[in-house]
Amino acid sequence: MQYFYDTCALLNNSNKIFENNDLFYISSITLKELENIKNSLTKDAETKYKARKLVNLLFSKQNNFKTIMYQKEWDDIIKQYPTLPDNNDSRIIISAKQLSDNSITFVTQDFCCYLFAKSIGLNVQYLLEDIDNYTGYKIVKCTTDEEMADFYSKIYSDNIIPIPMHENEYLFIKDATDKIIDKYYMRNNKLISLKDYPTFNSKMFGETKPRDAYQWAAMDSLQRNTITLLRGAAGTGKSYLAMSYLMSLLDEGKIDRIIIFCNTVATNGAARLGFYPGSKDEKLLDSQIGNFLVSKLGGDKNYVIDKFIDTGKIILLPMADIRGYDTSGMHAGIYITEAQNMDIELMKLALQRIGNDSVCILDGDDQTQVDLGIYAGNNNGIRRVSQVFRGESIYGEITLPNIYRSKIASIAQKM
């Protein structure tokens, strides 16, 4: 089967399309539309970025596709089909029609194009929006004693995994009252019961305990895996758990330093304050990363944080300086905070800096806290990390659903 992609399908699914290395077709009308998008004064930044990225991909992978050059006389063919409007979508459809045989499938993410292409006899595939609901855990609710008995029988007597699960994914069992009564994680194709109560202990944070089953799983994943992604809205505790864990490792001598990768993107919708004077660390501490460290470590940032920085226990590394950096031999805890503000290429570059003797924590909220359009949607770095790393033996992921910062913060999440 060979595929003919319209502009929308190609624009929104370029990574997957080129991963297959299969030959596909596009119309020259699509190339014109991409050029118009790149230079548009009305398109949003994310769409323009996608177009630029796609054009670069097309240039680098010219053997992967063929362009059907649209002929002006094909406008007369459009007129032969009463269902087709006189626009570029119809011209792209007609381009596919010129190749039409049983081996060509027209692929679109536009429902109107789907209907138009079907109306003239094309084989059509409609791509639904790629919505990824992976959270790092699954929930099974048993409403009766019989359901509960059957579920546990499958696990312990029949050695059956009741539902599909990834390696290091967690399973929460709820009773009829919606209370979580049991917790498991998936390891080597077996469900293993979580019994140990995870705690972190450090001089800066004291004893950190989980406030719900989701934080329990997050803390367990941090202790168990080399790399953990913590997702969730503001106030769910993701950065608190991350820093608490890293500080406990530092106090116990299990790591020698904490390296924080910083991409200091201004908050979406906020005014920029312009140039900050001072050294690299002073500039970073005057940005959101400084506010973050003060809120988590407490005290006067000119004393508490400077003490960690001066002794090399905390290293702030801006993403602008990350190329060529290598943490091998540093015995470090790598922390990538606000990771929703990274695209796939930047995230890839960051993770490629991490050596075998380091652990890594990422946190972010790719649903509501992305501050630049170029980091949104399918181009988001932590979204791609989740897709690529889930199922790997070294990886864990948890989405924290409950906000604990304050009643105000909890209500504000509804805005």
Side-chain angles (χ1 to χ4, degrees):
M1 183 69 71
Q2 290 183 309
Y3 297 96
F4 192 111
Y5 292 95
D6 76 350
T7 307
C8 186
L10 193 63
L11 194 64
N12 292 327
N13 301 276
S14 59
N15 285 328
K16 292 183 179 179
I17 290 170
F18 282 103
E19 277 176 2
N20 296 329
N21 287 321
D22 295 329
L23 178 69
F24 62 88
Y25 295 90
I26 61 173
S27 170
S28 60
I29 300 296
T30 288
L31 296 179
K32 288 183 179 180
E33 289 188 336
L34 291 175
E35 188 63 25
N36 289 336
I37 292 171
K38 282 169 48 185
N39 300 306
S40 173
L41 298 177
T42 58
K43 294 290 185 181
D44 61 86
E46 180 187 357
T47 304
K48 293 170 74 170
Y49 177 82
K50 286 180 181 178
R52 292 194 300 272
K53 181 181 177 182
L54 176 54
V55 169
N56 289 335
L57 274 172
L58 291 170
F59 176 78
S60 64
K61 297 181 179 291
Q62 296 181 46
N63 293 328
N64 286 54
F65 70 96
K66 289 185 178 179
T67 304
I68 305 303
M69 302 304 296
Y70 187 80
Q71 307 298 316
K72 183 63 178 174
E73 55 266 27
W74 292 353
D75 284 350
D76 294 331
I77 301 177
I78 294 176
K79 296 174 183 177
Q80 297 174 17
Y81 294 98
T83 57
L84 294 184
D86 183 12
N87 60 23
N88 279 345
D89 287 344
S90 294
R91 292 181 178 91
I92 291 172
I93 291 170
I94 289 299
S95 298
K97 184 69 173 176
Q98 305 313 302
L99 295 170
S100 185
D101 56 45
N102 290 331
S103 67
I104 297 292
T105 296
F106 182 77
V107 184
T108 182
Q109 210 166 7
D110 183 317
F111 187 59
C112 291
C113 279
Y114 170 82
L115 293 177
F116 290 146
K118 282 199 73 172
S119 74
I120 67 168
L122 285 175
N123 297 322
V124 189
Q125 179 180 341
Y126 181 68
L127 290 183
L128 293 172
E129 183 182 356
D130 186 12
I131 299 175
D132 190 348
N133 294 319
Y134 186 72
T135 59
Y137 51 81
K138 287 187 170 70
I139 299 174
V140 170
K141 185 174 180 178
C142 299
T143 58
T144 66
D145 291 342
E146 290 77 14
E147 285 183 4
M148 191 78 70
D150 180 63
F151 188 84
Y152 280 107
S153 175
K154 288 178 181 177
I155 296 175
Y156 292 111
S157 300
D158 303 328
N159 197 28
I160 295 173
I161 309 300
I163 54 177
M165 293 184 65
H166 290 283
E167 184 82 347
N168 295 330
E169 190 174 8
Y170 291 83
L171 176 65
F172 301 139
I173 313 299
K174 285 187 175 183
D175 63 15
T177 66
D178 237 24
K179 179 182 178 182
I180 295 176
I181 59 171
D182 228 342
K183 297 175 286 293
Y184 293 84
Y185 73 98
M186 183 76 164
R187 192 70 169 180
N188 296 324
N189 206 34
K190 292 183 179 179
L191 282 176
I192 300 173
S193 179
L194 284 175
K195 298 299 184 185
D196 294 336
Y197 188 82
T199 59
F200 305 151
N201 291 279
S202 66
K203 295 174 185 176
M204 290 300 304
F205 289 84
E207 186 179 44
T208 300
K209 300 178 181 180
R211 302 183 71 168
D212 57 30
Y214 309 99
Q215 288 195 0
W216 181 309
M219 294 174 70
D220 182 80
S221 180
L222 289 168
Q223 293 176 316
R224 192 180 304 281
N225 297 307
T226 306
I227 175 170
T228 294
L229 169 60
L230 300 179
R231 294 162 115 169
T236 53
K238 55 188 184 297
S239 57
Y240 182 85
L241 294 178
M243 281 302 295
S244 175
Y245 177 61
L246 290 173
M247 281 294 175
S248 71
L249 294 182
L250 197 61
D251 285 354
E252 294 166 11
K254 294 181 178 179
I255 59 174
D256 295 333
R257 57 187 58 82
I258 298 169
I259 305 175
I260 303 176
F261 291 0
C262 318
N263 193 28
T264 52
V265 177
T267 303
N268 185 32
R272 274 58 170 173
L273 294 181
F275 173 75
Y276 288 106
S279 66
K280 176 201 73 174
D281 287 335
E282 288 172 334
K283 290 178 180 179
L284 288 172
L285 290 175
D286 278 330
S287 70
Q288 62 183 2
I289 192 63
N291 297 329
F292 160 75
L293 288 173
V294 170
S295 68
K296 302 309 172 190
L297 301 183
D300 181 355
K301 68 182 178 184
N302 292 325
Y303 173 72
V304 178
I305 300 172
D306 283 354
K307 182 179 178 182
F308 280 106
I309 292 175
D310 290 343
T311 57
K313 296 299 182 183
I314 290 181
I315 296 173
L316 304 180
L317 183 67
M319 294 300 297
D321 298 336
I322 202 169
R323 193 177 296 278
Y325 198 78
D326 185 354
T327 73
S328 298
M330 293 187 178
H331 200 222
I334 309 302
Y335 183 29
I336 307 178
T337 184
E338 302 291 346
Q340 75 275 357
N341 284 325
M342 298 171 68
D343 65 12
I344 294 173
E345 291 302 318
L346 193 57
M347 180 64 75
K348 179 180 177 181
L349 181 64
L351 295 179
Q352 287 174 332
R353 307 303 99 199
I354 299 174
N356 283 326
D357 60 341
S358 297
V359 296
C360 178
I361 305 172
L362 304 95
D363 78 32
D365 175 13
D366 58 306
Q367 299 299 313
T368 63
Q369 296 189 70
V370 177
D371 290 311
L372 283 179
I374 59 173
Y375 303 142
N378 291 334
N379 196 44
N380 186 264
I382 58 174
R383 183 174 297 189
R384 188 60 176 161
V385 166
S386 175
Q387 293 168 346
V388 171
F389 276 81
R390 72 181 66 154
E392 296 288 341
S393 61
I394 62 171
Y395 177 78
E397 174 182 335
I398 294 293
T399 296
L400 300 170
N402 299 320
I403 296 174
Y404 291 105
R405 179 169 295 160
S406 66
K407 187 68 174 178
I408 291 175
S410 180
I411 296 172
Q413 179 63 14
K414 301 175 184 179
M415 296 176 66

